[in-house]
Structure formats: structure tokens, C-alpha cells
mmCIF file of all heavy atoms in Angstrom:
data_model
loop_
_atom_site.group_PDB
_atom_site.id
_atom_site.type_symbol
_atom_site.label_atom_id
_atom_site.label_comp_id
_atom_site.label_asym_id
_atom_site.label_seq_id
_atom_site.Cartn_x
_atom_site.Cartn_y
_atom_site.Cartn_z
ATOM 1 N N PHE A 210 34.722 -35.610 47.241
ATOM 2 C CA PHE A 210 34.878 -35.546 48.624
ATOM 3 C C PHE A 210 33.504 -35.108 49.325
ATOM 4 O O PHE A 210 32.965 -35.617 50.181
ATOM 5 C CB PHE A 210 35.944 -34.610 49.148
ATOM 6 C CG PHE A 210 35.981 -34.439 50.624
ATOM 7 C CD1 PHE A 210 36.602 -35.183 51.474
ATOM 8 C CD2 PHE A 210 35.303 -33.298 51.137
ATOM 9 C CE1 PHE A 210 36.614 -35.022 52.911
ATOM 10 C CE2 PHE A 210 35.325 -33.036 52.572
ATOM 11 C CZ PHE A 210 35.940 -33.906 53.379
ATOM 12 N N ASP A 211 32.987 -34.008 48.693
ATOM 13 C CA ASP A 211 31.703 -33.374 49.182
ATOM 14 C C ASP A 211 30.567 -34.301 49.035
ATOM 15 O O ASP A 211 29.676 -34.424 49.957
ATOM 16 C CB ASP A 211 31.505 -32.039 48.566
ATOM 17 C CG ASP A 211 30.540 -31.135 49.309
ATOM 18 O OD1 ASP A 211 30.810 -30.913 50.527
ATOM 19 O OD2 ASP A 211 29.560 -30.738 48.752
ATOM 20 N N SER A 212 30.500 -34.976 47.907
ATOM 21 C CA SER A 212 29.423 -35.862 47.604
ATOM 22 C C SER A 212 29.448 -37.022 48.674
ATOM 23 O O SER A 212 28.395 -37.433 49.225
ATOM 24 C CB SER A 212 29.515 -36.486 46.284
ATOM 25 O OG SER A 212 29.393 -35.408 45.204
ATOM 26 N N LYS A 213 30.598 -37.608 48.910
ATOM 27 C CA LYS A 213 30.656 -38.694 49.822
ATOM 28 C C LYS A 213 30.467 -38.231 51.292
ATOM 29 O O LYS A 213 29.760 -38.973 52.109
ATOM 30 C CB LYS A 213 32.114 -39.286 49.807
ATOM 31 C CG LYS A 213 32.356 -40.000 48.490
ATOM 32 C CD LYS A 213 33.866 -40.442 48.305
ATOM 33 C CE LYS A 213 34.133 -41.107 46.986
ATOM 34 N NZ LYS A 213 35.528 -41.391 46.822
ATOM 35 N N LEU A 214 30.911 -36.994 51.605
ATOM 36 C CA LEU A 214 30.616 -36.478 52.932
ATOM 37 C C LEU A 214 29.085 -36.290 53.112
ATOM 38 O O LEU A 214 28.621 -36.648 54.298
ATOM 39 C CB LEU A 214 31.308 -35.132 53.054
ATOM 40 C CG LEU A 214 31.106 -34.318 54.364
ATOM 41 C CD1 LEU A 214 31.559 -35.063 55.532
ATOM 42 C CD2 LEU A 214 31.680 -32.888 54.287
ATOM 43 N N ARG A 215 28.494 -35.791 52.159
ATOM 44 C CA ARG A 215 27.009 -35.667 52.247
ATOM 45 C C ARG A 215 26.281 -36.959 52.548
ATOM 46 O O ARG A 215 25.413 -37.014 53.354
ATOM 47 C CB ARG A 215 26.563 -34.992 50.947
ATOM 48 C CG ARG A 215 25.039 -34.527 51.022
ATOM 49 C CD ARG A 215 24.622 -33.976 49.670
ATOM 50 N NE ARG A 215 25.486 -32.872 49.184
ATOM 51 C CZ ARG A 215 26.226 -32.912 48.097
ATOM 52 N NH1 ARG A 215 26.206 -34.035 47.352
ATOM 53 N NH2 ARG A 215 26.997 -31.915 47.794
ATOM 54 N N ARG A 216 26.762 -38.017 51.810
ATOM 55 C CA ARG A 216 26.119 -39.391 51.911
ATOM 56 C C ARG A 216 26.349 -39.884 53.369
ATOM 57 O O ARG A 216 25.471 -40.516 54.018
ATOM 58 C CB ARG A 216 26.565 -40.329 50.963
ATOM 59 C CG ARG A 216 26.080 -40.059 49.528
ATOM 60 C CD ARG A 216 26.365 -41.136 48.568
ATOM 61 N NE ARG A 216 27.674 -41.305 48.231
ATOM 62 C CZ ARG A 216 28.232 -40.727 47.283
ATOM 63 N NH1 ARG A 216 27.625 -39.877 46.460
ATOM 64 N NH2 ARG A 216 29.589 -40.940 46.993
ATOM 65 N N ILE A 217 27.559 -39.670 53.808
ATOM 66 C CA ILE A 217 27.890 -40.139 55.310
ATOM 67 C C ILE A 217 27.020 -39.422 56.240
ATOM 68 O O ILE A 217 26.451 -40.073 57.200
ATOM 69 C CB ILE A 217 29.380 -39.860 55.573
ATOM 70 C CG1 ILE A 217 30.271 -40.823 54.709
ATOM 71 C CG2 ILE A 217 29.678 -40.031 57.065
ATOM 72 C CD1 ILE A 217 31.745 -40.519 54.848
ATOM 73 N N ILE A 218 26.867 -38.188 56.073
ATOM 74 C CA ILE A 218 26.062 -37.386 57.036
ATOM 75 C C ILE A 218 24.627 -37.664 57.013
ATOM 76 O O ILE A 218 23.970 -37.910 58.039
ATOM 77 C CB ILE A 218 26.228 -35.750 56.801
ATOM 78 C CG1 ILE A 218 27.709 -35.362 57.090
ATOM 79 C CG2 ILE A 218 25.252 -34.914 57.552
ATOM 80 C CD1 ILE A 218 28.006 -34.000 56.637
ATOM 81 N N LEU A 219 24.125 -37.836 55.746
ATOM 82 C CA LEU A 219 22.609 -38.184 55.722
ATOM 83 C C LEU A 219 22.367 -39.571 56.298
ATOM 84 O O LEU A 219 21.326 -39.754 56.951
ATOM 85 C CB LEU A 219 22.252 -38.169 54.208
ATOM 86 C CG LEU A 219 21.937 -36.854 53.562
ATOM 87 C CD1 LEU A 219 21.762 -36.974 52.088
ATOM 88 C CD2 LEU A 219 20.745 -36.176 54.212
ATOM 89 N N ASN A 220 23.289 -40.521 56.197
ATOM 90 C CA ASN A 220 23.059 -41.769 56.760
ATOM 91 C C ASN A 220 23.063 -41.695 58.311
ATOM 92 O O ASN A 220 22.161 -42.303 58.923
ATOM 93 C CB ASN A 220 24.227 -42.706 56.341
ATOM 94 C CG ASN A 220 24.046 -44.111 56.895
ATOM 95 O OD1 ASN A 220 23.112 -44.799 56.636
ATOM 96 N ND2 ASN A 220 25.168 -44.653 57.534
ATOM 97 N N VAL A 221 23.935 -40.929 58.875
ATOM 98 C CA VAL A 221 23.960 -40.906 60.353
ATOM 99 C C VAL A 221 22.840 -39.999 60.889
ATOM 100 O O VAL A 221 22.260 -40.295 61.913
ATOM 101 C CB VAL A 221 25.359 -40.382 60.852
ATOM 102 C CG1 VAL A 221 25.592 -38.956 60.606
ATOM 103 C CG2 VAL A 221 25.504 -40.759 62.307
ATOM 104 N N LEU A 222 22.391 -38.989 60.102
ATOM 105 C CA LEU A 222 21.365 -38.102 60.603
ATOM 106 C C LEU A 222 19.988 -38.905 60.520
ATOM 107 O O LEU A 222 19.069 -38.574 61.358
ATOM 108 C CB LEU A 222 21.146 -36.905 59.603
ATOM 109 C CG LEU A 222 22.145 -35.769 59.874
ATOM 110 C CD1 LEU A 222 22.051 -34.641 58.939
ATOM 111 C CD2 LEU A 222 22.120 -35.310 61.359
ATOM 112 N N ASP A 223 19.875 -39.885 59.579
ATOM 113 C CA ASP A 223 18.727 -40.747 59.670
ATOM 114 C C ASP A 223 18.558 -41.549 60.985
ATOM 115 O O ASP A 223 17.518 -41.635 61.571
ATOM 116 C CB ASP A 223 18.727 -41.606 58.380
ATOM 117 C CG ASP A 223 17.516 -42.555 58.340
ATOM 118 O OD1 ASP A 223 16.353 -42.038 58.150
ATOM 119 O OD2 ASP A 223 17.680 -43.825 58.583
ATOM 120 N N ARG A 224 19.708 -42.043 61.508
ATOM 121 C CA ARG A 224 19.785 -42.776 62.732
ATOM 122 C C ARG A 224 19.269 -41.882 63.884
ATOM 123 O O ARG A 224 18.580 -42.222 64.780
ATOM 124 C CB ARG A 224 21.138 -43.269 62.953
ATOM 125 C CG ARG A 224 21.390 -44.046 64.234
ATOM 126 C CD ARG A 224 20.532 -45.358 64.363
ATOM 127 N NE ARG A 224 20.736 -45.994 65.555
ATOM 128 C CZ ARG A 224 21.797 -46.863 65.943
ATOM 129 N NH1 ARG A 224 22.702 -47.063 65.045
ATOM 130 N NH2 ARG A 224 21.773 -47.369 67.125
ATOM 131 N N ILE A 225 19.949 -40.623 63.840
ATOM 132 C CA ILE A 225 19.673 -39.603 64.912
ATOM 133 C C ILE A 225 18.205 -39.195 64.894
ATOM 134 O O ILE A 225 17.542 -39.125 65.905
ATOM 135 C CB ILE A 225 20.553 -38.375 64.770
ATOM 136 C CG1 ILE A 225 22.003 -38.839 65.081
ATOM 137 C CG2 ILE A 225 20.139 -37.288 65.671
ATOM 138 C CD1 ILE A 225 23.047 -37.721 64.895
ATOM 139 N N GLU A 226 17.656 -38.930 63.674
ATOM 140 C CA GLU A 226 16.323 -38.460 63.604
ATOM 141 C C GLU A 226 15.330 -39.477 64.064
ATOM 142 O O GLU A 226 14.275 -39.162 64.840
ATOM 143 C CB GLU A 226 16.092 -38.154 62.065
ATOM 144 C CG GLU A 226 14.570 -37.662 61.792
ATOM 145 C CD GLU A 226 14.373 -37.354 60.335
ATOM 146 O OE1 GLU A 226 15.329 -37.182 59.664
ATOM 147 O OE2 GLU A 226 13.170 -37.281 59.945
ATOM 148 N N VAL A 227 15.443 -40.784 63.741
ATOM 149 C CA VAL A 227 14.623 -41.835 64.167
ATOM 150 C C VAL A 227 14.604 -41.913 65.756
ATOM 151 O O VAL A 227 13.608 -42.082 66.318
ATOM 152 C CB VAL A 227 14.919 -43.188 63.580
ATOM 153 C CG1 VAL A 227 14.262 -44.325 64.209
ATOM 154 C CG2 VAL A 227 14.686 -43.152 62.092
ATOM 155 N N ASN A 228 15.793 -41.811 66.247
ATOM 156 C CA ASN A 228 15.970 -41.918 67.732
ATOM 157 C C ASN A 228 15.219 -40.784 68.441
ATOM 158 O O ASN A 228 14.487 -41.035 69.406
ATOM 159 C CB ASN A 228 17.518 -42.017 68.076
ATOM 160 C CG ASN A 228 17.678 -42.201 69.624
ATOM 161 O OD1 ASN A 228 17.701 -41.255 70.295
ATOM 162 N ND2 ASN A 228 17.769 -43.400 70.060
ATOM 163 N N ILE A 229 15.525 -39.583 68.023
ATOM 164 C CA ILE A 229 14.932 -38.409 68.644
ATOM 165 C C ILE A 229 13.399 -38.396 68.576
ATOM 166 O O ILE A 229 12.630 -38.157 69.470
ATOM 167 C CB ILE A 229 15.468 -37.101 68.091
ATOM 168 C CG1 ILE A 229 16.992 -36.943 68.439
ATOM 169 C CG2 ILE A 229 14.678 -35.924 68.571
ATOM 170 C CD1 ILE A 229 17.700 -35.860 67.884
ATOM 171 N N ARG A 230 12.882 -38.806 67.344
ATOM 172 C CA ARG A 230 11.467 -38.822 67.141
ATOM 173 C C ARG A 230 10.894 -39.890 68.140
ATOM 174 O O ARG A 230 9.790 -39.721 68.640
ATOM 175 C CB ARG A 230 11.111 -39.220 65.748
ATOM 176 C CG ARG A 230 9.661 -39.225 65.462
ATOM 177 C CD ARG A 230 9.333 -39.846 64.166
ATOM 178 N NE ARG A 230 9.851 -39.196 62.989
ATOM 179 C CZ ARG A 230 10.796 -39.666 62.139
ATOM 180 N NH1 ARG A 230 11.191 -40.949 62.356
ATOM 181 N NH2 ARG A 230 11.245 -38.949 61.193
ATOM 182 N N THR A 231 11.548 -41.097 68.163
ATOM 183 C CA THR A 231 11.074 -42.170 69.026
ATOM 184 C C THR A 231 10.973 -41.729 70.466
ATOM 185 O O THR A 231 10.061 -41.965 71.189
ATOM 186 C CB THR A 231 11.928 -43.402 68.838
ATOM 187 O OG1 THR A 231 11.925 -43.855 67.541
ATOM 188 C CG2 THR A 231 11.436 -44.557 69.861
ATOM 189 N N CYS A 232 12.078 -41.034 70.989
ATOM 190 C CA CYS A 232 12.043 -40.625 72.398
ATOM 191 C C CYS A 232 10.973 -39.598 72.683
ATOM 192 O O CYS A 232 10.374 -39.674 73.690
ATOM 193 C CB CYS A 232 13.440 -40.140 72.703
ATOM 194 S SG CYS A 232 14.675 -41.389 72.823
ATOM 195 N N ILE A 233 10.804 -38.603 71.756
ATOM 196 C CA ILE A 233 9.759 -37.605 72.059
ATOM 197 C C ILE A 233 8.416 -38.251 72.028
ATOM 198 O O ILE A 233 7.533 -37.963 72.847
ATOM 199 C CB ILE A 233 9.881 -36.475 71.006
ATOM 200 C CG1 ILE A 233 11.249 -35.722 71.162
ATOM 201 C CG2 ILE A 233 8.674 -35.489 71.177
ATOM 202 C CD1 ILE A 233 11.426 -34.669 70.100
ATOM 203 N N THR A 234 8.222 -39.141 71.132
ATOM 204 C CA THR A 234 6.870 -39.847 70.982
ATOM 205 C C THR A 234 6.646 -40.683 72.320
ATOM 206 O O THR A 234 5.540 -40.656 72.913
ATOM 207 C CB THR A 234 6.820 -40.785 69.868
ATOM 208 O OG1 THR A 234 7.107 -40.028 68.696
ATOM 209 C CG2 THR A 234 5.492 -41.454 69.707
ATOM 210 N N TYR A 235 7.692 -41.351 72.778
ATOM 211 C CA TYR A 235 7.520 -42.284 73.813
ATOM 212 C C TYR A 235 7.307 -41.502 75.147
ATOM 213 O O TYR A 235 6.300 -41.765 75.867
ATOM 214 C CB TYR A 235 8.826 -43.161 74.028
ATOM 215 C CG TYR A 235 8.918 -44.033 75.185
ATOM 216 C CD1 TYR A 235 8.153 -45.215 75.164
ATOM 217 C CD2 TYR A 235 9.631 -43.767 76.431
ATOM 218 C CE1 TYR A 235 8.150 -46.061 76.368
ATOM 219 C CE2 TYR A 235 9.653 -44.634 77.384
ATOM 220 C CZ TYR A 235 8.957 -45.774 77.396
ATOM 221 O OH TYR A 235 9.014 -46.586 78.561
ATOM 222 N N TYR A 236 8.132 -40.536 75.461
ATOM 223 C CA TYR A 236 8.003 -39.795 76.775
ATOM 224 C C TYR A 236 6.843 -38.856 76.743
ATOM 225 O O TYR A 236 6.193 -38.779 77.715
ATOM 226 C CB TYR A 236 9.353 -39.067 77.073
ATOM 227 C CG TYR A 236 10.343 -39.965 77.505
ATOM 228 C CD1 TYR A 236 11.388 -40.423 76.661
ATOM 229 C CD2 TYR A 236 10.327 -40.587 78.719
ATOM 230 C CE1 TYR A 236 12.328 -41.224 77.063
ATOM 231 C CE2 TYR A 236 11.338 -41.422 79.139
ATOM 232 C CZ TYR A 236 12.395 -41.834 78.307
ATOM 233 O OH TYR A 236 13.315 -42.690 78.670
ATOM 234 N N GLY A 237 6.392 -38.329 75.572
ATOM 235 C CA GLY A 237 5.279 -37.524 75.487
ATOM 236 C C GLY A 237 3.960 -38.330 75.626
ATOM 237 O O GLY A 237 3.090 -37.907 76.382
ATOM 238 N N SER A 238 3.971 -39.525 74.952
ATOM 239 C CA SER A 238 2.806 -40.322 75.019
ATOM 240 C C SER A 238 2.600 -40.978 76.480
ATOM 241 O O SER A 238 1.480 -41.178 76.850
ATOM 242 C CB SER A 238 2.882 -41.442 74.005
ATOM 243 O OG SER A 238 2.881 -40.819 72.741
ATOM 244 N N LEU A 239 3.670 -41.260 77.109
ATOM 245 C CA LEU A 239 3.603 -41.770 78.535
ATOM 246 C C LEU A 239 3.208 -40.696 79.503
ATOM 247 O O LEU A 239 2.428 -40.849 80.474
ATOM 248 C CB LEU A 239 4.916 -42.435 78.941
ATOM 249 C CG LEU A 239 5.164 -43.813 78.453
ATOM 250 C CD1 LEU A 239 6.486 -44.340 79.044
ATOM 251 C CD2 LEU A 239 4.025 -44.752 78.700
ATOM 252 N N THR A 240 3.695 -39.448 79.241
ATOM 253 C CA THR A 240 3.357 -38.301 80.132
ATOM 254 C C THR A 240 1.775 -38.036 80.091
ATOM 255 O O THR A 240 1.161 -37.691 81.029
ATOM 256 C CB THR A 240 4.086 -37.113 79.778
ATOM 257 O OG1 THR A 240 5.497 -37.365 79.989
ATOM 258 C CG2 THR A 240 3.795 -35.946 80.606
ATOM 259 N N TYR A 241 1.293 -38.050 78.852
ATOM 260 C CA TYR A 241 -0.094 -37.763 78.629
ATOM 261 C C TYR A 241 -0.880 -39.087 78.165
ATOM 262 O O TYR A 241 -1.389 -39.165 77.123
ATOM 263 C CB TYR A 241 -0.225 -36.660 77.557
ATOM 264 C CG TYR A 241 0.588 -35.419 77.826
ATOM 265 C CD1 TYR A 241 1.555 -35.060 76.880
ATOM 266 C CD2 TYR A 241 0.442 -34.695 78.950
ATOM 267 C CE1 TYR A 241 2.441 -34.023 77.155
ATOM 268 C CE2 TYR A 241 1.285 -33.617 79.142
ATOM 269 C CZ TYR A 241 2.245 -33.255 78.291
ATOM 270 O OH TYR A 241 3.043 -32.200 78.544
ATOM 271 N N ILE A 242 -0.696 -40.027 78.981
ATOM 272 C CA ILE A 242 -1.153 -41.406 78.565
ATOM 273 C C ILE A 242 -2.613 -41.566 78.302
ATOM 274 O O ILE A 242 -3.026 -42.323 77.500
ATOM 275 C CB ILE A 242 -0.697 -42.394 79.732
ATOM 276 C CG1 ILE A 242 -0.742 -43.845 79.121
ATOM 277 C CG2 ILE A 242 -1.585 -42.240 80.947
ATOM 278 C CD1 ILE A 242 -0.004 -44.839 79.997
ATOM 279 N N LYS A 243 -3.435 -40.625 78.821
ATOM 280 C CA LYS A 243 -4.856 -40.660 78.607
ATOM 281 C C LYS A 243 -5.312 -39.830 77.351
ATOM 282 O O LYS A 243 -6.447 -39.833 77.007
ATOM 283 C CB LYS A 243 -5.690 -40.124 79.786
ATOM 284 C CG LYS A 243 -5.465 -40.918 81.103
ATOM 285 C CD LYS A 243 -6.263 -40.417 82.235
ATOM 286 C CE LYS A 243 -6.141 -41.286 83.339
ATOM 287 N NZ LYS A 243 -7.003 -40.725 84.568
ATOM 288 N N ASP A 244 -4.239 -39.191 76.726
ATOM 289 C CA ASP A 244 -4.643 -38.395 75.567
ATOM 290 C C ASP A 244 -3.686 -38.717 74.318
ATOM 291 O O ASP A 244 -2.589 -38.226 74.345
ATOM 292 C CB ASP A 244 -4.492 -37.023 75.845
ATOM 293 C CG ASP A 244 -4.896 -36.046 74.637
ATOM 294 O OD1 ASP A 244 -5.209 -36.593 73.494
ATOM 295 O OD2 ASP A 244 -4.865 -34.845 74.766
ATOM 296 N N PRO A 245 -4.015 -39.702 73.451
ATOM 297 C CA PRO A 245 -3.161 -40.063 72.381
ATOM 298 C C PRO A 245 -2.953 -38.887 71.348
ATOM 299 O O PRO A 245 -2.090 -39.102 70.476
ATOM 300 C CB PRO A 245 -3.828 -41.296 71.801
ATOM 301 C CG PRO A 245 -5.204 -41.141 72.102
ATOM 302 C CD PRO A 245 -5.355 -40.463 73.517
ATOM 303 N N TYR A 246 -3.690 -37.835 71.398
ATOM 304 C CA TYR A 246 -3.564 -36.705 70.589
ATOM 305 C C TYR A 246 -2.907 -35.565 71.258
ATOM 306 O O TYR A 246 -3.271 -34.380 70.922
ATOM 307 C CB TYR A 246 -4.998 -36.399 70.047
ATOM 308 C CG TYR A 246 -5.776 -37.630 69.561
ATOM 309 C CD1 TYR A 246 -6.787 -38.095 70.337
ATOM 310 C CD2 TYR A 246 -5.379 -38.279 68.449
ATOM 311 C CE1 TYR A 246 -7.419 -39.255 69.986
ATOM 312 C CE2 TYR A 246 -6.121 -39.353 67.943
ATOM 313 C CZ TYR A 246 -7.097 -39.910 68.727
ATOM 314 O OH TYR A 246 -7.766 -41.046 68.423
ATOM 315 N N TRP A 247 -2.091 -35.735 72.274
ATOM 316 C CA TRP A 247 -1.532 -34.636 73.005
ATOM 317 C C TRP A 247 -0.776 -33.664 72.288
ATOM 318 O O TRP A 247 -0.630 -32.448 72.627
ATOM 319 C CB TRP A 247 -0.615 -35.310 74.079
ATOM 320 C CG TRP A 247 0.489 -36.116 73.543
ATOM 321 C CD1 TRP A 247 0.581 -37.427 73.379
ATOM 322 C CD2 TRP A 247 1.817 -35.611 73.162
ATOM 323 N NE1 TRP A 247 1.718 -37.878 72.838
ATOM 324 C CE2 TRP A 247 2.558 -36.768 72.713
ATOM 325 C CE3 TRP A 247 2.428 -34.434 73.099
ATOM 326 C CZ2 TRP A 247 3.874 -36.622 72.219
ATOM 327 C CZ3 TRP A 247 3.788 -34.274 72.613
ATOM 328 C CH2 TRP A 247 4.450 -35.449 72.196
ATOM 329 N N PHE A 248 -0.339 -34.037 71.083
ATOM 330 C CA PHE A 248 0.529 -33.187 70.212
ATOM 331 C C PHE A 248 -0.369 -32.016 69.614
ATOM 332 O O PHE A 248 0.230 -31.014 69.054
ATOM 333 C CB PHE A 248 1.232 -33.938 69.157
ATOM 334 C CG PHE A 248 0.259 -34.750 68.223
ATOM 335 C CD1 PHE A 248 -0.243 -34.192 67.112
ATOM 336 C CD2 PHE A 248 -0.058 -36.063 68.653
ATOM 337 C CE1 PHE A 248 -1.133 -34.938 66.318
ATOM 338 C CE2 PHE A 248 -0.905 -36.818 67.958
ATOM 339 C CZ PHE A 248 -1.507 -36.253 66.782
#
């Protein structure tokens, strides 16, 4: 059960991680559009 639970969680966390990274990159880069190294 625990092994299967871990795989389910990792699969969905991958989706969440990509989305959050994309949103932070997108809104940060548009906010500081003249500085691609804003981070």
C-alpha cells in the first residue's frame, strides 16, 4: 500500500511542481521583462 501511495503522490507532485515553476517563471519574467536574470 505504502509503495503504491508513494508512486501516486510522486506522479501528481510532478504535475504540481511543473505548474508552480512555470507560473513563477512566467509572472516573474514578465514583471521584470527587461532583466532576464531577475532571480
Side-chain angles (χ1 to χ4, degrees):
F210 170 89
D211 199 57
S212 296
K213 292 172 183 176
L214 176 63
R215 191 182 303 114
R216 289 193 290 271
I217 289 171
I218 292 171
L219 280 172
N220 183 52
V221 75
L222 284 179
D223 181 67
R224 175 71 181 275
I225 291 172
E226 179 179 346
V227 169
N228 182 271
I229 291 174
R230 184 194 298 118
T231 298
C232 287
I233 293 176
T234 304
Y235 177 77
Y236 287 102
S238 296
L239 284 185
T240 299
Y241 310 119
I242 197 165
K243 294 183 178 180
D244 184 359
Y246 314 105
W247 59 266
F248 55 92

